[in-house]
Amino acid sequence: MLTASKNLKNLKRLVCWQIQGEKKIMNSITERRVIHQVKIDPKISAPKIAASTCNTLGRSVSAETVRRVLRKAGYNGRVARKKALNW
């Protein structure tokens, strides 16, 4: 009986730990808007997207947050190297 109550206490602690955390700055609509901006112009920089998001949202969003959203969507910051011309 003692182990069951101990396991229940640990389970409650685990659930509370998973719920806690900082609230999201960007909701799903804003994240989709950021991804759409990258689809239109793939060479746009994260600080430019953050500035335009700041203008539309009314609160500041860091460039790292934009990068995190883009990485989550599958967009990486790397560009493929150009192939050398071999004659």
PDB file of all heavy atoms in Angstrom, residues 18-55:
ATOM      1  N   GLN A  18       5.586  18.348 -16.382  1.00  0.00           N
ATOM      2  CA  GLN A  18       5.378  18.433 -17.817  1.00  0.00           C
ATOM      3  C   GLN A  18       4.507  19.620 -18.184  1.00  0.00           C
ATOM      4  O   GLN A  18       4.659  20.194 -19.254  1.00  0.00           O
ATOM      5  CB  GLN A  18       4.747  17.146 -18.343  1.00  0.00           C
ATOM      6  CG  GLN A  18       5.700  15.975 -18.339  1.00  0.00           C
ATOM      7  CD  GLN A  18       5.025  14.684 -18.770  1.00  0.00           C
ATOM      8  OE1 GLN A  18       3.809  14.620 -18.835  1.00  0.00           O
ATOM      9  NE2 GLN A  18       5.815  13.673 -19.033  1.00  0.00           N
ATOM     10  N   ILE A  19       3.601  20.021 -17.331  1.00  0.00           N
ATOM     11  CA  ILE A  19       2.703  21.135 -17.618  1.00  0.00           C
ATOM     12  C   ILE A  19       3.441  22.455 -17.489  1.00  0.00           C
ATOM     13  O   ILE A  19       3.203  23.386 -18.251  1.00  0.00           O
ATOM     14  CB  ILE A  19       1.476  21.093 -16.677  1.00  0.00           C
ATOM     15  CG1 ILE A  19       0.622  19.869 -17.007  1.00  0.00           C
ATOM     16  CG2 ILE A  19       0.655  22.353 -16.796  1.00  0.00           C
ATOM     17  CD1 ILE A  19      -0.501  19.638 -16.036  1.00  0.00           C
ATOM     18  N   GLN A  20       4.342  22.562 -16.542  1.00  0.00           N
ATOM     19  CA  GLN A  20       5.034  23.814 -16.306  1.00  0.00           C
ATOM     20  C   GLN A  20       5.963  24.157 -17.458  1.00  0.00           C
ATOM     21  O   GLN A  20       6.383  23.314 -18.219  1.00  0.00           O
ATOM     22  CB  GLN A  20       5.848  23.741 -15.015  1.00  0.00           C
ATOM     23  CG  GLN A  20       4.995  23.670 -13.785  1.00  0.00           C
ATOM     24  CD  GLN A  20       5.839  23.454 -12.542  1.00  0.00           C
ATOM     25  OE1 GLN A  20       7.009  23.153 -12.630  1.00  0.00           O
ATOM     26  NE2 GLN A  20       5.226  23.618 -11.398  1.00  0.00           N
ATOM     27  N   GLY A  21       6.277  25.417 -17.565  1.00  0.00           N
ATOM     28  CA  GLY A  21       7.169  25.898 -18.602  1.00  0.00           C
ATOM     29  C   GLY A  21       6.697  27.262 -19.062  1.00  0.00           C
ATOM     30  O   GLY A  21       5.631  27.730 -18.697  1.00  0.00           O
ATOM     31  N   GLU A  22       7.501  27.887 -19.880  1.00  0.00           N
ATOM     32  CA  GLU A  22       7.128  29.205 -20.373  1.00  0.00           C
ATOM     33  C   GLU A  22       6.052  29.083 -21.443  1.00  0.00           C
ATOM     34  O   GLU A  22       6.012  28.128 -22.198  1.00  0.00           O
ATOM     35  CB  GLU A  22       8.350  29.905 -20.946  1.00  0.00           C
ATOM     36  CG  GLU A  22       9.360  30.285 -19.896  1.00  0.00           C
ATOM     37  CD  GLU A  22      10.470  31.148 -20.455  1.00  0.00           C
ATOM     38  OE1 GLU A  22      10.176  31.931 -21.380  1.00  0.00           O
ATOM     39  OE2 GLU A  22      11.586  31.030 -19.980  1.00  0.00           O
ATOM     40  N   LYS A  23       5.198  30.098 -21.495  1.00  0.00           N
ATOM     41  CA  LYS A  23       4.159  30.104 -22.506  1.00  0.00           C
ATOM     42  C   LYS A  23       4.778  30.429 -23.861  1.00  0.00           C
ATOM     43  O   LYS A  23       5.787  31.114 -23.952  1.00  0.00           O
ATOM     44  CB  LYS A  23       3.100  31.145 -22.164  1.00  0.00           C
ATOM     45  CG  LYS A  23       2.297  30.791 -20.949  1.00  0.00           C
ATOM     46  CD  LYS A  23       1.207  31.799 -20.726  1.00  0.00           C
ATOM     47  CE  LYS A  23       0.374  31.418 -19.531  1.00  0.00           C
ATOM     48  NZ  LYS A  23      -0.697  32.395 -19.290  1.00  0.00           N
ATOM     49  N   LYS A  24       4.146  29.958 -24.907  1.00  0.00           N
ATOM     50  CA  LYS A  24       4.642  30.212 -26.254  1.00  0.00           C
ATOM     51  C   LYS A  24       4.408  31.666 -26.623  1.00  0.00           C
ATOM     52  O   LYS A  24       3.349  32.230 -26.344  1.00  0.00           O
ATOM     53  CB  LYS A  24       3.920  29.314 -27.254  1.00  0.00           C
ATOM     54  CG  LYS A  24       4.229  27.846 -27.093  1.00  0.00           C
ATOM     55  CD  LYS A  24       3.459  27.054 -28.094  1.00  0.00           C
ATOM     56  CE  LYS A  24       4.357  26.710 -29.231  1.00  0.00           C
ATOM     57  NZ  LYS A  24       3.703  25.863 -30.226  1.00  0.00           N
ATOM     58  N   ILE A  25       5.393  32.268 -27.250  1.00  0.00           N
ATOM     59  CA  ILE A  25       5.253  33.642 -27.721  1.00  0.00           C
ATOM     60  C   ILE A  25       4.442  33.660 -29.009  1.00  0.00           C
ATOM     61  O   ILE A  25       3.578  34.496 -29.209  1.00  0.00           O
ATOM     62  CB  ILE A  25       6.644  34.272 -27.954  1.00  0.00           C
ATOM     63  CG1 ILE A  25       7.370  34.426 -26.618  1.00  0.00           C
ATOM     64  CG2 ILE A  25       6.539  35.599 -28.654  1.00  0.00           C
ATOM     65  CD1 ILE A  25       8.783  34.900 -26.751  1.00  0.00           C
ATOM     66  N   MET A  26       4.709  32.704 -29.874  1.00  0.00           N
ATOM     67  CA  MET A  26       4.041  32.644 -31.173  1.00  0.00           C
ATOM     68  C   MET A  26       3.020  31.522 -31.174  1.00  0.00           C
ATOM     69  O   MET A  26       3.332  30.406 -30.785  1.00  0.00           O
ATOM     70  CB  MET A  26       5.077  32.408 -32.278  1.00  0.00           C
ATOM     71  CG  MET A  26       6.117  33.485 -32.372  1.00  0.00           C
ATOM     72  SD  MET A  26       7.455  33.079 -33.491  1.00  0.00           S
ATOM     73  CE  MET A  26       6.610  33.027 -35.040  1.00  0.00           C
ATOM     74  N   ASN A  27       1.817  31.823 -31.620  1.00  0.00           N
ATOM     75  CA  ASN A  27       0.822  30.768 -31.746  1.00  0.00           C
ATOM     76  C   ASN A  27       0.958  30.103 -33.115  1.00  0.00           C
ATOM     77  O   ASN A  27       1.828  30.459 -33.914  1.00  0.00           O
ATOM     78  CB  ASN A  27      -0.588  31.331 -31.533  1.00  0.00           C
ATOM     79  CG  ASN A  27      -0.918  32.467 -32.471  1.00  0.00           C
ATOM     80  OD1 ASN A  27      -0.180  32.720 -33.403  1.00  0.00           O
ATOM     81  ND2 ASN A  27      -2.000  33.157 -32.209  1.00  0.00           N
ATOM     82  N   SER A  28       0.117  29.148 -33.413  1.00  0.00           N
ATOM     83  CA  SER A  28       0.263  28.376 -34.651  1.00  0.00           C
ATOM     84  C   SER A  28       0.018  29.236 -35.885  1.00  0.00           C
ATOM     85  O   SER A  28       0.642  29.025 -36.932  1.00  0.00           O
ATOM     86  CB  SER A  28      -0.702  27.195 -34.642  1.00  0.00           C
ATOM     87  OG  SER A  28      -2.038  27.656 -34.552  1.00  0.00           O
ATOM     88  N   ILE A  29      -0.852  30.240 -35.785  1.00  0.00           N
ATOM     89  CA  ILE A  29      -1.121  31.109 -36.935  1.00  0.00           C
ATOM     90  C   ILE A  29       0.127  31.925 -37.272  1.00  0.00           C
ATOM     91  O   ILE A  29       0.505  32.058 -38.442  1.00  0.00           O
ATOM     92  CB  ILE A  29      -2.316  32.039 -36.633  1.00  0.00           C
ATOM     93  CG1 ILE A  29      -3.573  31.195 -36.443  1.00  0.00           C
ATOM     94  CG2 ILE A  29      -2.510  33.053 -37.749  1.00  0.00           C
ATOM     95  CD1 ILE A  29      -4.750  31.951 -35.891  1.00  0.00           C
ATOM     96  N   THR A  30       0.779  32.456 -36.253  1.00  0.00           N
ATOM     97  CA  THR A  30       1.988  33.243 -36.467  1.00  0.00           C
ATOM     98  C   THR A  30       3.113  32.367 -37.011  1.00  0.00           C
ATOM     99  O   THR A  30       3.879  32.801 -37.882  1.00  0.00           O
ATOM    100  CB  THR A  30       2.428  33.918 -35.163  1.00  0.00           C
ATOM    101  OG1 THR A  30       1.304  34.534 -34.564  1.00  0.00           O
ATOM    102  CG2 THR A  30       3.487  34.955 -35.415  1.00  0.00           C
ATOM    103  N   GLU A  31       3.231  31.151 -36.506  1.00  0.00           N
ATOM    104  CA  GLU A  31       4.252  30.234 -37.014  1.00  0.00           C
ATOM    105  C   GLU A  31       4.021  29.936 -38.494  1.00  0.00           C
ATOM    106  O   GLU A  31       4.964  29.911 -39.280  1.00  0.00           O
ATOM    107  CB  GLU A  31       4.248  28.940 -36.206  1.00  0.00           C
ATOM    108  CG  GLU A  31       4.793  29.105 -34.808  1.00  0.00           C
ATOM    109  CD  GLU A  31       4.763  27.817 -34.010  1.00  0.00           C
ATOM    110  OE1 GLU A  31       4.327  26.773 -34.546  1.00  0.00           O
ATOM    111  OE2 GLU A  31       5.173  27.859 -32.840  1.00  0.00           O
ATOM    112  N   ARG A  32       2.763  29.730 -38.881  1.00  0.00           N
ATOM    113  CA  ARG A  32       2.466  29.484 -40.295  1.00  0.00           C
ATOM    114  C   ARG A  32       2.790  30.699 -41.151  1.00  0.00           C
ATOM    115  O   ARG A  32       3.237  30.564 -42.293  1.00  0.00           O
ATOM    116  CB  ARG A  32       1.002  29.092 -40.478  1.00  0.00           C
ATOM    117  CG  ARG A  32       0.771  27.615 -40.184  1.00  0.00           C
ATOM    118  CD  ARG A  32      -0.630  27.215 -40.474  1.00  0.00           C
ATOM    119  NE  ARG A  32      -1.443  27.553 -39.303  1.00  0.00           N
ATOM    120  CZ  ARG A  32      -2.703  27.956 -39.336  1.00  0.00           C
ATOM    121  NH1 ARG A  32      -3.341  28.080 -40.475  1.00  0.00           N
ATOM    122  NH2 ARG A  32      -3.358  28.218 -38.232  1.00  0.00           N
ATOM    123  N   ARG A  33       2.581  31.891 -40.605  1.00  0.00           N
ATOM    124  CA  ARG A  33       2.896  33.115 -41.341  1.00  0.00           C
ATOM    125  C   ARG A  33       4.407  33.219 -41.576  1.00  0.00           C
ATOM    126  O   ARG A  33       4.846  33.612 -42.663  1.00  0.00           O
ATOM    127  CB  ARG A  33       2.394  34.330 -40.568  1.00  0.00           C
ATOM    128  CG  ARG A  33       2.554  35.622 -41.331  1.00  0.00           C
ATOM    129  CD  ARG A  33       1.983  36.784 -40.579  1.00  0.00           C
ATOM    130  NE  ARG A  33       0.536  36.652 -40.497  1.00  0.00           N
ATOM    131  CZ  ARG A  33      -0.213  37.169 -39.529  1.00  0.00           C
ATOM    132  NH1 ARG A  33       0.343  37.852 -38.565  1.00  0.00           N
ATOM    133  NH2 ARG A  33      -1.509  37.012 -39.523  1.00  0.00           N
ATOM    134  N   VAL A  34       5.194  32.846 -40.574  1.00  0.00           N
ATOM    135  CA  VAL A  34       6.664  32.869 -40.709  1.00  0.00           C
ATOM    136  C   VAL A  34       7.105  31.876 -41.784  1.00  0.00           C
ATOM    137  O   VAL A  34       7.927  32.199 -42.644  1.00  0.00           O
ATOM    138  CB  VAL A  34       7.330  32.555 -39.354  1.00  0.00           C
ATOM    139  CG1 VAL A  34       8.801  32.252 -39.526  1.00  0.00           C
ATOM    140  CG2 VAL A  34       7.126  33.708 -38.390  1.00  0.00           C
ATOM    141  N   ILE A  35       6.538  30.686 -41.766  1.00  0.00           N
ATOM    142  CA  ILE A  35       6.887  29.660 -42.747  1.00  0.00           C
ATOM    143  C   ILE A  35       6.479  30.113 -44.152  1.00  0.00           C
ATOM    144  O   ILE A  35       7.202  29.903 -45.128  1.00  0.00           O
ATOM    145  CB  ILE A  35       6.244  28.313 -42.370  1.00  0.00           C
ATOM    146  CG1 ILE A  35       6.847  27.817 -41.055  1.00  0.00           C
ATOM    147  CG2 ILE A  35       6.418  27.285 -43.464  1.00  0.00           C
ATOM    148  CD1 ILE A  35       6.092  26.683 -40.419  1.00  0.00           C
ATOM    149  N   HIS A  36       5.334  30.790 -44.252  1.00  0.00           N
ATOM    150  CA  HIS A  36       4.870  31.289 -45.538  1.00  0.00           C
ATOM    151  C   HIS A  36       5.815  32.355 -46.092  1.00  0.00           C
ATOM    152  O   HIS A  36       6.083  32.394 -47.299  1.00  0.00           O
ATOM    153  CB  HIS A  36       3.454  31.847 -45.402  1.00  0.00           C
ATOM    154  CG  HIS A  36       2.865  32.326 -46.684  1.00  0.00           C
ATOM    155  ND1 HIS A  36       2.514  31.460 -47.700  1.00  0.00           N
ATOM    156  CD2 HIS A  36       2.574  33.562 -47.134  1.00  0.00           C
ATOM    157  CE1 HIS A  36       2.030  32.149 -48.713  1.00  0.00           C
ATOM    158  NE2 HIS A  36       2.050  33.436 -48.384  1.00  0.00           N
ATOM    159  N   GLN A  37       6.345  33.209 -45.220  1.00  0.00           N
ATOM    160  CA  GLN A  37       7.301  34.226 -45.660  1.00  0.00           C
ATOM    161  C   GLN A  37       8.556  33.586 -46.233  1.00  0.00           C
ATOM    162  O   GLN A  37       9.126  34.070 -47.210  1.00  0.00           O
ATOM    163  CB  GLN A  37       7.682  35.156 -44.504  1.00  0.00           C
ATOM    164  CG  GLN A  37       6.610  36.139 -44.136  1.00  0.00           C
ATOM    165  CD  GLN A  37       7.027  37.010 -42.972  1.00  0.00           C
ATOM    166  OE1 GLN A  37       8.011  36.738 -42.288  1.00  0.00           O
ATOM    167  NE2 GLN A  37       6.264  38.056 -42.728  1.00  0.00           N
ATOM    168  N   VAL A  38       8.982  32.487 -45.650  1.00  0.00           N
ATOM    169  CA  VAL A  38      10.176  31.788 -46.142  1.00  0.00           C
ATOM    170  C   VAL A  38       9.873  31.085 -47.457  1.00  0.00           C
ATOM    171  O   VAL A  38      10.733  31.017 -48.344  1.00  0.00           O
ATOM    172  CB  VAL A  38      10.706  30.802 -45.080  1.00  0.00           C
ATOM    173  CG1 VAL A  38      11.800  29.928 -45.634  1.00  0.00           C
ATOM    174  CG2 VAL A  38      11.201  31.568 -43.881  1.00  0.00           C
ATOM    175  N   LYS A  39       8.655  30.578 -47.623  1.00  0.00           N
ATOM    176  CA  LYS A  39       8.295  29.943 -48.892  1.00  0.00           C
ATOM    177  C   LYS A  39       8.299  30.966 -50.023  1.00  0.00           C
ATOM    178  O   LYS A  39       8.708  30.670 -51.139  1.00  0.00           O
ATOM    179  CB  LYS A  39       6.911  29.300 -48.788  1.00  0.00           C
ATOM    180  CG  LYS A  39       6.899  27.984 -48.073  1.00  0.00           C
ATOM    181  CD  LYS A  39       5.526  27.381 -48.095  1.00  0.00           C
ATOM    182  CE  LYS A  39       5.495  26.066 -47.334  1.00  0.00           C
ATOM    183  NZ  LYS A  39       4.159  25.479 -47.315  1.00  0.00           N
ATOM    184  N   ILE A  40       7.847  32.195 -49.733  1.00  0.00           N
ATOM    185  CA  ILE A  40       7.827  33.243 -50.751  1.00  0.00           C
ATOM    186  C   ILE A  40       9.250  33.673 -51.100  1.00  0.00           C
ATOM    187  O   ILE A  40       9.608  33.777 -52.274  1.00  0.00           O
ATOM    188  CB  ILE A  40       7.004  34.455 -50.263  1.00  0.00           C
ATOM    189  CG1 ILE A  40       5.529  34.072 -50.177  1.00  0.00           C
ATOM    190  CG2 ILE A  40       7.184  35.654 -51.176  1.00  0.00           C
ATOM    191  CD1 ILE A  40       4.668  35.115 -49.524  1.00  0.00           C
ATOM    192  N   ASP A  41      10.054  33.952 -50.079  1.00  0.00           N
ATOM    193  CA  ASP A  41      11.431  34.420 -50.290  1.00  0.00           C
ATOM    194  C   ASP A  41      12.375  33.581 -49.434  1.00  0.00           C
ATOM    195  O   ASP A  41      12.554  33.864 -48.252  1.00  0.00           O
ATOM    196  CB  ASP A  41      11.551  35.898 -49.928  1.00  0.00           C
ATOM    197  CG  ASP A  41      12.926  36.454 -50.200  1.00  0.00           C
ATOM    198  OD1 ASP A  41      13.706  35.788 -50.913  1.00  0.00           O
ATOM    199  OD2 ASP A  41      13.222  37.552 -49.705  1.00  0.00           O
ATOM    200  N   PRO A  42      12.995  32.532 -49.998  1.00  0.00           N
ATOM    201  CA  PRO A  42      13.861  31.659 -49.205  1.00  0.00           C
ATOM    202  C   PRO A  42      15.113  32.334 -48.664  1.00  0.00           C
ATOM    203  O   PRO A  42      15.725  31.837 -47.731  1.00  0.00           O
ATOM    204  CB  PRO A  42      14.240  30.538 -50.170  1.00  0.00           C
ATOM    205  CG  PRO A  42      13.260  30.596 -51.264  1.00  0.00           C
ATOM    206  CD  PRO A  42      12.815  32.018 -51.357  1.00  0.00           C
ATOM    207  N   LYS A  43      15.522  33.472 -49.246  1.00  0.00           N
ATOM    208  CA  LYS A  43      16.749  34.129 -48.812  1.00  0.00           C
ATOM    209  C   LYS A  43      16.517  35.190 -47.754  1.00  0.00           C
ATOM    210  O   LYS A  43      17.459  35.879 -47.367  1.00  0.00           O
ATOM    211  CB  LYS A  43      17.451  34.757 -50.022  1.00  0.00           C
ATOM    212  CG  LYS A  43      17.945  33.722 -51.007  1.00  0.00           C
ATOM    213  CD  LYS A  43      18.706  34.357 -52.127  1.00  0.00           C
ATOM    214  CE  LYS A  43      19.213  33.291 -53.090  1.00  0.00           C
ATOM    215  NZ  LYS A  43      19.980  33.878 -54.176  1.00  0.00           N
ATOM    216  N   ILE A  44      15.296  35.337 -47.249  1.00  0.00           N
ATOM    217  CA  ILE A  44      15.017  36.335 -46.223  1.00  0.00           C
ATOM    218  C   ILE A  44      15.671  35.903 -44.914  1.00  0.00           C
ATOM    219  O   ILE A  44      15.744  34.708 -44.599  1.00  0.00           O
ATOM    220  CB  ILE A  44      13.496  36.543 -46.058  1.00  0.00           C
ATOM    221  CG1 ILE A  44      13.207  37.776 -45.221  1.00  0.00           C
ATOM    222  CG2 ILE A  44      12.822  35.329 -45.488  1.00  0.00           C
ATOM    223  CD1 ILE A  44      11.754  38.205 -45.250  1.00  0.00           C
ATOM    224  N   SER A  45      16.167  36.864 -44.167  1.00  0.00           N
ATOM    225  CA  SER A  45      16.900  36.539 -42.942  1.00  0.00           C
ATOM    226  C   SER A  45      15.950  36.469 -41.749  1.00  0.00           C
ATOM    227  O   SER A  45      14.842  37.031 -41.769  1.00  0.00           O
ATOM    228  CB  SER A  45      17.975  37.588 -42.677  1.00  0.00           C
ATOM    229  OG  SER A  45      17.379  38.839 -42.417  1.00  0.00           O
ATOM    230  N   ALA A  46      16.399  35.783 -40.712  1.00  0.00           N
ATOM    231  CA  ALA A  46      15.590  35.625 -39.500  1.00  0.00           C
ATOM    232  C   ALA A  46      15.337  36.966 -38.802  1.00  0.00           C
ATOM    233  O   ALA A  46      14.217  37.200 -38.335  1.00  0.00           O
ATOM    234  CB  ALA A  46      16.255  34.628 -38.550  1.00  0.00           C
ATOM    235  N   PRO A  47      16.322  37.885 -38.708  1.00  0.00           N
ATOM    236  CA  PRO A  47      16.019  39.182 -38.095  1.00  0.00           C
ATOM    237  C   PRO A  47      14.970  39.987 -38.855  1.00  0.00           C
ATOM    238  O   PRO A  47      14.155  40.682 -38.246  1.00  0.00           O
ATOM    239  CB  PRO A  47      17.368  39.904 -38.099  1.00  0.00           C
ATOM    240  CG  PRO A  47      18.373  38.825 -38.099  1.00  0.00           C
ATOM    241  CD  PRO A  47      17.764  37.722 -38.900  1.00  0.00           C
ATOM    242  N   LYS A  48      14.950  39.877 -40.180  1.00  0.00           N
ATOM    243  CA  LYS A  48      13.930  40.575 -40.960  1.00  0.00           C
ATOM    244  C   LYS A  48      12.548  39.986 -40.704  1.00  0.00           C
ATOM    245  O   LYS A  48      11.563  40.708 -40.582  1.00  0.00           O
ATOM    246  CB  LYS A  48      14.250  40.512 -42.452  1.00  0.00           C
ATOM    247  CG  LYS A  48      15.388  41.409 -42.863  1.00  0.00           C
ATOM    248  CD  LYS A  48      15.599  41.352 -44.349  1.00  0.00           C
ATOM    249  CE  LYS A  48      16.782  42.213 -44.758  1.00  0.00           C
ATOM    250  NZ  LYS A  48      17.049  42.129 -46.199  1.00  0.00           N
ATOM    251  N   ILE A  49      12.471  38.679 -40.606  1.00  0.00           N
ATOM    252  CA  ILE A  49      11.192  38.031 -40.300  1.00  0.00           C
ATOM    253  C   ILE A  49      10.746  38.412 -38.892  1.00  0.00           C
ATOM    254  O   ILE A  49       9.571  38.679 -38.645  1.00  0.00           O
ATOM    255  CB  ILE A  49      11.305  36.495 -40.445  1.00  0.00           C
ATOM    256  CG1 ILE A  49      11.580  36.114 -41.889  1.00  0.00           C
ATOM    257  CG2 ILE A  49      10.044  35.816 -39.972  1.00  0.00           C
ATOM    258  CD1 ILE A  49      11.864  34.654 -42.089  1.00  0.00           C
ATOM    259  N   ALA A  50      11.693  38.466 -37.957  1.00  0.00           N
ATOM    260  CA  ALA A  50      11.361  38.843 -36.579  1.00  0.00           C
ATOM    261  C   ALA A  50      10.842  40.272 -36.521  1.00  0.00           C
ATOM    262  O   ALA A  50       9.889  40.570 -35.789  1.00  0.00           O
ATOM    263  CB  ALA A  50      12.583  38.679 -35.687  1.00  0.00           C
ATOM    264  N   ALA A  51      11.436  41.168 -37.304  1.00  0.00           N
ATOM    265  CA  ALA A  51      10.986  42.562 -37.311  1.00  0.00           C
ATOM    266  C   ALA A  51       9.587  42.684 -37.893  1.00  0.00           C
ATOM    267  O   ALA A  51       8.738  43.412 -37.352  1.00  0.00           O
ATOM    268  CB  ALA A  51      11.963  43.422 -38.105  1.00  0.00           C
ATOM    269  N   SER A  52       9.318  41.957 -38.990  1.00  0.00           N
ATOM    270  CA  SER A  52       7.981  42.031 -39.579  1.00  0.00           C
ATOM    271  C   SER A  52       6.939  41.386 -38.670  1.00  0.00           C
ATOM    272  O   SER A  52       5.811  41.857 -38.573  1.00  0.00           O
ATOM    273  CB  SER A  52       7.967  41.366 -40.956  1.00  0.00           C
ATOM    274  OG  SER A  52       8.166  39.980 -40.833  1.00  0.00           O
ATOM    275  N   THR A  53       7.329  40.329 -37.966  1.00  0.00           N
ATOM    276  CA  THR A  53       6.424  39.689 -37.011  1.00  0.00           C
ATOM    277  C   THR A  53       6.157  40.619 -35.836  1.00  0.00           C
ATOM    278  O   THR A  53       5.034  40.683 -35.338  1.00  0.00           O
ATOM    279  CB  THR A  53       7.024  38.359 -36.507  1.00  0.00           C
ATOM    280  OG1 THR A  53       7.357  37.556 -37.635  1.00  0.00           O
ATOM    281  CG2 THR A  53       6.053  37.606 -35.646  1.00  0.00           C
ATOM    282  N   CYS A  54       7.178  41.368 -35.430  1.00  0.00           N
ATOM    283  CA  CYS A  54       7.007  42.335 -34.345  1.00  0.00           C
ATOM    284  C   CYS A  54       6.009  43.416 -34.748  1.00  0.00           C
ATOM    285  O   CYS A  54       5.190  43.846 -33.934  1.00  0.00           O
ATOM    286  CB  CYS A  54       8.352  42.951 -33.986  1.00  0.00           C
ATOM    287  SG  CYS A  54       8.275  44.197 -32.705  1.00  0.00           S
ATOM    288  N   ASN A  55       6.062  43.850 -36.004  1.00  0.00           N
ATOM    289  CA  ASN A  55       5.131  44.870 -36.479  1.00  0.00           C
ATOM    290  C   ASN A  55       3.695  44.350 -36.517  1.00  0.00           C
ATOM    291  O   ASN A  55       2.763  45.071 -36.192  1.00  0.00           O
ATOM    292  CB  ASN A  55       5.536  45.367 -37.867  1.00  0.00           C
ATOM    293  CG  ASN A  55       6.826  46.154 -37.829  1.00  0.00           C
ATOM    294  OD1 ASN A  55       7.192  46.707 -36.808  1.00  0.00           O
ATOM    295  ND2 ASN A  55       7.520  46.181 -38.954  1.00  0.00           N
TER     296      ASN A  55
END
